[in-house]
Amino acid sequence: MADKKRLGKTDLYVNPIGLGTNAVGGHNIYPNLIEETGKDVVRTAIDNGINFLDTAYIYGPERSEELIGEVIKEKGNRSEIVIATKGAHKFVGGKIVLDNSPAFLREAVENSLKRLQTDYIDLFYIHFPDEGTPKAEAVGALKELKDAGKIKAIGVSNFSIEQLKEANKDGYVDVLQSEYNLFNREVEKEILPYTKDHNISFVPYYPLAAGLLGGRYTKETTFNDGRAKNPLFQGEAFVRNLEKVEQVREIANAKNAEVAHVVLAWYLTRDSVDALIPGAKRPEQVTNNLKTLEIQLTNEEIEKISRIFQE
């Protein structure tokens, strides 16, 4: 099994391949999910050495946390698992609004603790910034919860560089989670240098760009979901993007690996990217994701992949 990586300045050590669980009980994201299959996904992850589980209130809502709590209680190995969850969303008059106020964050943490059936959360993220709450004030509330033993580490998610700097004014931020993939490298400009300089771990989401970087699509593939409106999947752009993926396939074939494994391994060569949280809808996808850890990229291969996707 892979050497564990430390998250930022914390005492949390994780397998570099974690598990994103929006397909575990995330009925509002994926229709027709079978909850027992979702629980099997979590069991398979834990049984195969994955100790970093990423969830959120809004996955379900609430249901993902509940299912993970059930599995961890059943397994009886809470101290070996690093649970990350997120809060910021609430329903007001049937509509979802964002709230980062200290009072709301305290309530969100207490509610997550109940759903997860645990007395502490390893990593709690502010899921999205709201418009009104000063970022350092929101993080300050999490610092109080950390001091009280309710959480062990503080994360923020989807924060711009300006918001991140404000949130980290007192040096309390341990982890940042944001979108990052080979088609969207915006965070490389300012965010990754900042996280490196301030010993903040960066956890990317959307690493395979809705499957485009998984290497399983062809020019003939059609989509009838959200991808149909995604610019990456449209017309000539889609064809050019597939050509880039095929160049990565040459590297993957030489290693007897899949494109997705090579792409995920590339992220782990980036400064401050200490862990990945690819999702899975079926148990076999969990064990397949772990094959990423067998990939060793040379400096030449790392540079080549970077060049392929340089716009």
Side-chain angles (χ1 to χ4, degrees), residues 5-24:
K5 300 287 286 286
R6 183 181 184 184
L7 291 180
K9 311 170 281 291
T10 75
D11 294 326
L12 303 175
Y13 288 82
V14 300
N15 185 323
I17 299 295
L19 175 67
T21 65
N22 65 1
V24 177

Side-chain angles (χ1 to χ4, degrees), residues 61-239:
E62 301 185 355
R63 196 62 184 136
S64 179
E65 289 180 322
E66 290 170 348
L67 295 175
I68 288 168
E70 289 172 20
V71 173
I72 292 175
K73 190 165 189 183
E74 160 199 312
K75 288 282 181 190
N77 61 345
R78 172 68 186 95
S79 63
E80 298 168 24
I81 306 297
V82 175
I83 301 174
T85 192
K86 315 177 201 77
H89 301 83
K90 67 179 183 182
F91 286 86
V92 177
K95 291 185 178 176
I96 295 177
V97 298
L98 296 173
D99 190 345
N100 297 173
S101 69
F104 177 77
L105 291 175
R106 285 191 288 269
E107 182 185 339
V109 167
E110 291 296 342
N111 290 335
S112 285
L113 287 168
K114 290 191 187 90
R115 289 189 289 269
L116 290 161
Q117 301 186 58
T118 183
D119 54 6
Y120 67 93
I121 292 165
D122 298 278
L123 169 59
F124 188 88
Y125 292 96
I126 299 171
H127 202 161
F128 281 86
D130 70 8
E131 291 188 3
T133 311
K135 307 301 168 251
E137 185 180 308
V139 167
L142 294 185
K143 175 64 165 61
E144 290 176 8
L145 289 162
K146 183 177 177 180
D147 291 342
K150 301 276 187 179
I151 67 177
K152 290 190 171 184
I154 295 170
V156 295
S157 181
N158 300 296
F159 277 43
S160 68
I161 184 64
E162 293 79 14
Q163 291 166 334
L164 175 60
K165 287 177 178 176
E166 186 194 337
N168 196 45
K169 181 170 71 77
D170 299 305
Y172 295 151
V173 176
D174 298 304
V175 185
L176 169 69
Q177 185 176 139
S178 288
E179 180 177 333
Y180 178 42
N181 59 64
L182 282 161
F183 291 116
N184 179 3
R185 299 173 66 178
E186 189 66 29
V187 298
E188 292 179 1
K189 294 176 186 170
E190 294 183 89
I191 285 179
L192 289 187
Y194 181 88
T195 54
K196 181 188 178 188
D197 288 346
H198 293 81
N199 201 8
I200 295 170
S201 281
F202 181 86
V203 177
Y205 69 78
Y206 209 50
L208 296 178
L212 186 50
L213 288 163
R216 295 182 179 173
Y217 302 149
T218 68
K219 293 174 191 174
E220 285 70 45
T221 308
T222 57
F223 305 95
N224 57 5
D225 55 16
R227 285 171 288 200
K229 296 179 181 176
N230 186 323
L232 290 175
F233 291 82
Q234 292 181 347
E236 282 302 308
F238 182 51
V239 174

Side-chain angles (χ1 to χ4, degrees), residues 226-269:
R227 285 171 288 200
K229 296 179 181 176
N230 186 323
L232 290 175
F233 291 82
Q234 292 181 347
E236 282 302 308
F238 182 51
V239 174
R240 285 197 307 274
N241 291 339
L242 288 175
E243 288 167 357
K244 293 177 182 179
V245 172
E246 287 309 304
Q247 292 181 67
V248 179
R249 193 185 305 280
E250 293 173 16
I251 296 172
N253 287 346
K255 297 179 183 296
N256 198 24
E258 295 177 19
V259 172
H261 300 145
V262 170
V263 170
L264 293 174
W266 185 87
Y267 298 130
L268 290 173
T269 69

Side-chain angles (χ1 to χ4, degrees), residues 265-283:
W266 185 87
Y267 298 130
L268 290 173
T269 69
R270 306 292 89 189
D271 283 334
S272 73
V273 177
D274 295 314
L276 306 174
I277 47 168
K281 291 181 182 172
R282 301 186 306 279

